[in-house]
Amino acid sequence: MKKADAAGYYMEACWIQYAIVEDRFNSVIRHAYPTQGEAFLKTLRGLDRKLEHISEKIHPRDEDCLKNVHKELLGRIKRWKDKRNDLMHEITDTPDFKSINDKLARMAPEGAALVNELASRVRKYKAAVHRRTPKPSAANTSEATRAADA
């Protein structure tokens, strides 16, 4: 993402940013549903559905998600994503790529800032999930080991 932006490949930078946002949303969903997250992700195709699910389904039940991956951030990501998608469709309607590239050059820094903020907040969310997840006690671990050996 940084290399594409530095080289002036703003379209590529925006595509990479979009992919990173989707990957971070996948991580939120995996951590919100530890036992079924991977299977659930197969039913949530597309960034819009993941964004909507995180905003509407996870937030009301998960205080850590609400605190770290808050709706204001999700709203900014949605607005950026919509602008990026509109611009990608505009490419097919204009012979003037320079004007598109100028718009992409303005969008890329915004996308990079959103990616960095989202990544930081998802790391905090993951840490919060790990802190609240019960750890097996030494006694339970010993019992499980004895049962497995039997």
Side-chain angles (χ1 to χ4, degrees), residues 1 5 10 13-14 17 80 103-113:
M1 175 182 76
D5 188 56
Y10 304 115
C14 289
Q17 292 159 359
W80 178 85
K103 291 176 186 178
L104 287 164
R106 290 188 298 274
M107 281 190 70
E110 180 184 358

Side-chain angles (χ1 to χ4, degrees), residues 19-76:
I20 293 171
V21 167
E22 188 161 14
D23 180 72
R24 297 298 76 216
F25 283 175
N26 289 349
S27 181
V28 168
I29 291 167
R30 277 188 205 99
H31 283 81
Y33 307 104
T35 59
Q36 69 225 30
E38 221 33 71
F40 186 54
L41 279 171
K42 292 178 182 173
T43 69
L44 287 178
R45 298 280 184 213
L47 188 63
D48 275 331
R49 291 189 65 205
K50 292 170 187 173
L51 192 150
E52 180 181 324
H53 185 82
I54 291 167
S55 182
E56 301 302 325
K57 303 287 192 302
I58 296 175
H59 274 98
R61 297 181 300 170
D62 188 333
E63 188 64 32
D64 291 320
C65 189
L66 179 62
K67 184 171 83 174
N68 290 296
V69 187
H70 51 77
K71 286 192 177 189
E72 186 273 333
L73 172 60
L74 295 173
R76 285 187 287 133

Side-chain angles (χ1 to χ4, degrees), residues 76-142:
R76 285 187 287 133
I77 290 170
K78 180 173 180 6
R79 285 188 297 279
W80 178 85
K81 176 205 61 81
D82 290 344
K83 284 192 305 187
R84 177 216 168 258
N85 288 350
D86 290 344
L87 199 51
M88 293 301 132
H89 293 291
E90 190 179 321
I91 288 172
T92 62
D93 297 333
T94 183
D96 181 19
F97 186 73
K98 177 159 177 17
S99 69
I100 299 288
N101 201 48
D102 290 345
K103 291 176 186 178
L104 287 164
R106 290 188 298 274
M107 281 190 70
E110 180 184 358
L114 288 170
V115 161
N116 291 336
E117 182 177 353
L118 179 62
S120 172
R121 291 184 173 280
V122 170
R123 278 191 298 276
K124 289 176 185 174
Y125 173 61
K126 287 167 50 175
V129 168
H130 287 292
R131 277 193 303 276
R132 73 179 183 212
T133 303
K135 306 291 183 262
S137 68
N140 290 345
T141 304
S142 297

